[in-house]
Amino acid sequence: MKNDRPPSSLIRVIGLGNGLRGDDAAGLLAARQVRQIIGGRAEVIEAEMAGVDLIELMKSAYAVILIDAARSGQASGTVHRLDASAGPIGCQIFPRSSHAIGMVDALELARAMGVLPPKVIVYGIEAGNTEAGQPLSSPVAKAVDQVVDQVIQECEAHYA
Amino acid sequence: MPEKTAQTRTIAVDMVARVEGEGALRVTVKDETVQDVELRIFEPPRFFEAFLRGRHYEEVPDIVARICGICPIAYQMSAVHALEQIFGLRVEGALRDLRRLIYCGEWIESHALHVYLLQAPDFLGYDSAIAMAKDHAAVVPRGLRLKKAGNAIMTLLGGRSVHPVSVKVGGFSRVPLRRELEGLKDELLWARDAAVDTVRWVADFEYPDFAPDYNYVALRHPDEYPLNEGQIVASTVLQISATEFEQHFVEHQVAYSNALHCTVQGSPYLVGPLARLNLNHDHLTPLAKQVLTDRRIALPLRNPFHGIIARSVEILYALEESLRLIERYETPPLAALPVAVRSGTGMACTEAPRGILYHRYEVDGDGVVRDAKIVPPTSQNQFRIEQDLRLFMPRLLHLPDKEAALACERVIRCYDPCISCATHFLNLDIRRESST
């Protein structure tokens, strides 16, 4: 163990989504798996449709990894990895709302207010079926496993 | 893009282009006259109605909470009230107060989000809260802190701020200690002052001159500003209980939308903060009444754009009410009343942040849901929003399509329609079209 590793509370993994709506639960389920594997070495939060509350959830973290379902028209199960700390990630795959503040807007609001954590990585998992009461579709379940592996690696990289 | 003709144009706001093709506005204009206004709203509760069938009644509060990320308490409260009606339960005293308190938390949270981050940019000339935050460095943090005060109530009583888990039939799975509630007081006192500033702030916005003739519908309680219960009243002569809702409020299928058009006495009506305030302002607190008087805000408010004022007043009311409920709280001996399951049908209506929310459940002798019906406020307002767009459109016809579409969005936003309730796959994509 190295002495200069950041405290675990400074690395935060946040899974987003609606747990009862099929593939929309991908981010939540990925976060749950990450927690089981990584234990106390990173703080893991399951946040169903957190919206603007993301700003609060990211507060005082050094590195944040967000995992959410996405829609861009690509095949379900496609994984997108975007570096929000490098600049705006746009809303092409994470849609916007006129009723709520979505994840992308919350990130940009945090940036405008000067409170965006130094490192923010967003994983988008392309969703298929989002009907209420459905399980994850097979391609999305596979994508969740892939994202979990990548997120674990990213967390471990912070300790390297 | 199709070629545009001089005579006919279509202004399309494809708000939810990727949500199964629904949730869009289409306005057709011919020879400078509005021909058609079609608002298509994705109506998520219909999926949940089917999903609820066959579920045990104890699962219902947790399932319906996931219909909406912004007003889960409203869904939970309408559900538990309807189920308690079936089981012959009446929740009173401190447990009733706690339900009122958690509902206040939701109003504060939902209204602060809408006032500060969704609607204020429309009045201050910004595309979004992000652009507004750069110029109004103090305003957005004030709105976020106000919202957080509502979150704090929800988190303490509900177990977590998003999709609370402790609401159940008969009461709660856990009730707070008095000192836990007292821990909220300092922040709520700050928030009450911030809410006064909020009313003053929005009162000074410039509002379009627009006052349609509304039939307001809201709950009305003899002693209090309505949250969890009351009779359903309208500005036209109507006073009924929730059990009579379906005899008076009729849903019609329209060809272009999955959502249903709601009418009362054959006409569209308005639910939400404006309707609630206009029908219940006598139950406001002295401070809330004083702030309105100081700003020369005369009730009733008839302009839909004044919804932001109504929301701000309700934030102030909810904070004062929260402080009052905390002040008199004594931890109840039981977190929930015991339930004796029996078969039957129950109906209840509560005041979600954006208007009355009706639930009906039929359960069998084992407590299994056999049928469920949910009528959310957005579908009730849908017909009224279309009527208002029809009335407002003539003053937008001189604008280019894109600007007209943005102006239509501002009108729609006044009602804070819950288009995105059950899924966050929502996209705002403005498309220009024309037809012959």
Side-chain angles (χ1 to χ4, degrees):
Chain A
M1 187 186 291
K2 293 192 177 184
N3 291 333
D4 60 348
R5 79 185 240 180
S8 60
S9 63
L10 295 185
I11 301 174
R12 213 163 286 162
V13 177
I14 304 174
L16 302 165
N18 188 333
L20 294 184
R21 289 192 69 95
D23 290 344
D24 196 11
L28 292 177
L29 296 174
R32 198 168 299 165
Q33 286 186 36
V34 168
R35 181 189 289 123
Q36 285 164 358
I37 296 167
I38 210 164
R41 284 175 295 154
E43 191 178 354
V44 181
I45 299 171
E46 292 171 46
E48 286 185 280
M49 300 194 286
V52 75
D53 294 338
L54 256 190
I55 297 173
E56 192 64 29
L57 295 179
M58 294 190 299
K59 199 173 172 183
S60 72
Y62 168 73
V64 171
I65 300 172
L66 293 165
I67 315 167
D68 198 0
R71 277 244 165 113
S72 70
Q74 294 189 48
S76 65
T78 305
V79 173
H80 310 267
R81 182 188 180 279
L82 302 151
D83 184 353
S85 33
I89 59 174
C91 63
Q92 293 86 355
I93 68 164
F94 297 103
R96 304 178 68 181
S97 165
S98 62
H99 166 67
I101 297 280
M103 185 255 283
V104 174
D105 283 341
L107 292 177
E108 291 316 308
L109 195 55
R111 196 192 309 276
M113 293 166 66
V115 297
L116 192 71
K119 192 79 182 162
V120 180
I121 300 296
V122 178
Y123 278 93
I125 300 171
E126 199 73 23
N129 185 4
T130 59
E131 214 165 281
Q134 297 299 307
L136 280 193
S137 65
S138 162
V140 170
K142 281 184 193 150
V144 166
D145 291 342
Q146 179 197 328
V147 167
V148 169
D149 287 344
Q150 283 182 251
V151 169
I152 300 284
Q153 283 175 31
E154 298 219 24
C155 289
E156 299 293 356
H158 283 289
Y159 301 119
Chain B
M1 188 180 295
E3 195 177 317
K4 185 171 174 165
T5 67
Q7 290 77 31
T8 306
R9 65 174 179 165
T10 304
I11 298 165
V13 183
D14 289 336
M15 283 185 289
V16 283
R18 291 175 189 143
V19 183
E20 295 156 36
E22 293 137 357
L25 168 69
R26 179 146 302 161
V27 179
T28 309
V29 180
K30 191 171 186 183
D31 299 328
E32 296 305 302
T33 305
V34 177
Q35 299 287 305
D36 288 307
V37 175
E38 295 180 353
L39 181 65
R40 308 164 191 206
I41 291 179
F42 180 64
E43 190 191 20
R46 300 181 76 193
F47 289 103
F48 277 83
E49 286 168 351
F51 183 39
L52 283 162
R53 284 183 213 123
R55 298 276 168 170
H56 194 254
Y57 82 89
E58 287 179 328
E59 295 181 272
V60 171
D62 285 348
I63 293 173
V64 296
R66 283 161 177 78
I67 292 175
C68 182
I70 297 182
C71 54
I73 294 296
Y75 281 96
Q76 291 188 318
M77 289 297 155
S78 285
V80 293
H81 276 262
L83 291 165
E84 283 161 10
Q85 189 187 64
I86 297 170
F87 303 140
L89 277 181
R90 178 81 195 155
V91 173
E92 301 280 11
L95 289 176
R96 182 181 188 275
D97 278 2
L98 286 175
R99 285 184 168 178
R100 200 165 161 80
L101 181 59
I102 197 170
Y103 221 131
C104 283
E106 177 160 287
W107 274 20
I108 296 162
E109 180 182 320
S110 172
H111 284 352
L113 173 75
H114 197 264
V115 167
Y116 277 88
L117 299 179
L118 298 174
Q119 213 182 2
D122 285 345
F123 292 102
L124 298 176
Y126 295 95
D127 290 342
S128 70
I130 299 156
M132 187 176 80
K134 289 170 183 158
D135 292 345
H136 295 264
V139 162
V140 172
R142 182 173 72 186
L144 288 176
R145 190 171 163 190
L146 256 178
K147 182 181 184 301
K148 200 177 156 193
N151 285 9
I153 296 173
M154 305 250 296
T155 304
L156 179 59
L157 297 184
R160 53 184 187 165
S161 65
V162 182
H163 295 147
V165 290
S166 73
V167 170
K168 61 186 285 191
V169 174
F172 292 83
S173 54
R174 175 193 177 273
V175 289
L177 301 171
R178 184 171 167 77
R179 65 177 158 77
E180 290 180 279
L181 284 186
E182 283 182 341
L184 297 172
K185 270 172 71 174
D186 285 350
E187 193 58 17
L188 295 181
L189 285 167
W190 172 86
R192 184 185 62 187
D193 293 344
V196 171
D197 291 341
T198 305
V199 180
R200 291 175 177 152
W201 178 57
V202 301
D204 290 342
F205 289 171
E206 276 188 38
Y207 292 94
D209 181 18
F210 184 48
D213 187 16
Y214 284 126
N215 184 16
Y216 300 108
V217 173
L219 293 188
R220 170 120 184 124
H221 188 276
D223 308 318
E224 58 194 20
Y225 202 86
L227 287 155
N228 268 310
E229 55 189 316
Q231 295 261 298
I232 300 166
V233 300
S235 16
T236 54
V237 181
L238 180 75
Q239 185 169 351
I240 58 166
S241 70
T243 54
E244 300 167 282
F245 180 90
E246 290 177 62
Q247 293 162 32
H248 294 266
F249 292 82
V250 181
E251 292 182 301
H252 309 271
Q253 194 88 47
V254 285
Y256 54 81
S257 181
N258 259 15
L260 303 170
H261 267 189
C262 250
T263 56
V264 63
Q265 293 151 341
S267 300
Y269 60 98
L270 185 79
V271 299
L274 208 62
R276 226 161 25 221
L277 184 67
N278 286 339
L279 295 171
N280 293 284
H281 57 84
D282 55 321
H283 288 316
L284 286 177
T285 56
L287 175 61
K289 285 178 181 168
Q290 188 60 47
V291 176
L292 285 171
T293 307
D294 291 348
R295 276 299 193 260
R296 296 193 177 86
I297 298 169
L299 298 170
L301 296 171
R302 300 198 174 279
N303 184 335
F305 290 93
H306 287 160
I308 194 169
I309 297 176
R311 276 183 200 96
S312 301
V313 172
E314 287 194 341
I315 294 172
L316 174 57
Y317 173 81
L319 284 159
E320 288 196 90
E321 180 67 356
S322 299
L323 286 161
R324 185 182 77 87
L325 294 168
I326 289 171
E327 201 55 49
R328 75 179 191 188
Y329 179 70
E330 297 292 342
T331 309
L334 287 174
L337 303 176
V339 178
V341 173
R342 66 187 189 201
S343 65
T345 302
M347 305 85 148
C349 224
T350 69
E351 281 285 1
R354 40 204 63 70
I356 60 172
L357 169 62
Y358 172 77
H359 285 220
R360 167 168 56 77
Y361 296 93
E362 186 187 326
V363 301
D364 66 17
D366 296 322
V368 174
V369 175
R370 290 295 160 211
D371 195 27
K373 183 178 178 69
I374 297 172
V375 184
T378 291
S379 76
Q380 297 182 67
N381 274 344
Q382 183 186 355
F383 195 11
R384 187 62 249 181
I385 299 171
E386 287 181 359
Q387 298 288 90
D388 284 358
L389 284 164
R390 200 180 289 271
L391 294 168
F392 200 74
M393 274 308 294
R395 65 181 82 189
L396 305 178
L397 294 180
H398 67 286
L399 296 172
D401 286 0
K402 190 173 178 184
E403 286 177 41
L406 288 171
C408 288
E409 264 190 70
R410 290 191 195 106
V411 174
I412 295 170
R413 215 159 11 240
C414 292
Y415 314 85
D416 191 12
C418 195
I419 299 164
S420 61
C421 274
T423 167
H424 57 259
F425 301 135
L426 187 72
N427 202 13
L428 178 61
D429 176 23
I430 296 178
R431 188 161 53 114
R432 282 189 285 177
E433 261 190 9
S434 63
S435 59
T436 55

